[in-house]
Amino acid sequence: MGLANIEELYNDCLYHIFDFLTTEDRIIFAQVCHRFRQLFINHCAAKYRVYTLDKDSSRLELIQFCICRETVECLTIDLDHFDTARCYRTYGCETPENCFQILCQTLAGMLRLEHLVVKQESMLVTPIQKPFDQILTAVRHLPKLRRLEIRARDANFRTI
């Protein structure tokens, strides 16, 4: 056989190896090179074609979602995910605004995104300024975006 390194293996062999990796190792695998990233996307993309980012989404799941961004067709973003107190409790993250900025950068690369829903069901405790404006700025040039829904409550908790 005489293979010099793992990059010379056939895709079938790499998929077999991939099945034994932990989530963290799969993410690292996807960051090695373009070919490995594409294998990751081919393996995981179905999960992220229609995706909901909510308060229960884990950090590792978000990273995988960002890697598969080109395959997302329908996305729901629940802004409660970026509540400062919840982020700190769940991830030990003190800066949800950094996570939000990564999300906005990821949104700009979602070339297949057709349907976007942005929800804010409760009052957020977060330093993120004008989250709806930032999201709209991120998606303004997406070629396939045909439907945008914004669900929010005003200060008196009325749905608008």
Side-chain angles (χ1 to χ4, degrees):
M1 191 161 179
L3 295 176
N5 62 48
I6 192 170
E7 291 180 7
E8 295 178 22
L9 290 173
Y10 293 113
N11 286 353
D12 292 345
C13 295
L14 291 172
Y15 281 127
H16 186 70
I17 292 169
F18 189 83
D19 287 336
F20 289 98
L21 298 177
T22 64
T23 302
E24 294 90 350
D25 289 336
R26 287 179 179 191
I27 291 167
I28 293 167
F29 176 91
Q31 296 172 344
V32 169
C33 64
H34 179 72
R35 178 177 173 220
F36 288 8
R37 181 176 182 271
Q38 196 57 51
L39 289 168
F40 178 93
I41 290 170
N42 292 345
H43 194 270
C44 299
K47 179 179 180 179
Y48 299 104
R49 279 200 179 87
V50 176
Y51 185 70
T52 299
L53 169 63
D54 60 16
K55 63 183 190 284
D56 297 323
S57 300
S58 71
R59 184 182 70 80
L60 293 175
E61 191 172 322
L62 291 175
I63 294 169
Q64 292 180 94
F65 162 74
C66 289
I67 293 169
C68 294
R69 68 186 166 272
E70 296 96 356
T71 65
V72 178
E73 296 172 1
C74 180
L75 175 64
T76 300
I77 301 171
D78 185 348
L79 292 176
D80 289 344
H81 175 80
F82 299 99
D83 183 277
T84 303
R86 192 205 53 74
C87 283
Y88 186 73
R89 279 192 316 273
T90 307
Y91 310 128
C93 176
E94 297 177 17
T95 56
E97 63 269 19
N98 291 344
C99 186
F100 186 78
Q101 292 306 317
I102 291 169
L103 172 65
C104 288
Q105 291 170 357
T106 300
L107 283 169
M110 292 184 180
L111 302 178
R112 292 187 185 174
L113 186 64
E114 298 174 9
H115 181 198
L116 176 63
V117 178
V118 183
K119 302 187 316 185
Q120 183 179 350
E121 300 290 322
S122 61
M123 298 303 289
L124 291 179
V125 179
T126 181
I128 298 170
Q129 300 295 316
K130 299 183 179 182
F132 291 103
D133 291 347
Q134 290 185 53
I135 289 172
L136 293 174
T137 299
V139 300
R140 70 175 178 236
H141 296 298
L142 294 181
K144 294 191 174 191
L145 185 62
R146 300 290 180 253
R147 186 170 175 195
L148 174 65
E149 296 178 40
I150 297 181
R151 301 178 192 159
R153 293 180 181 251
D154 67 7
N156 297 319
F157 284 99
R158 293 177 299 183
T159 302
I160 53 176

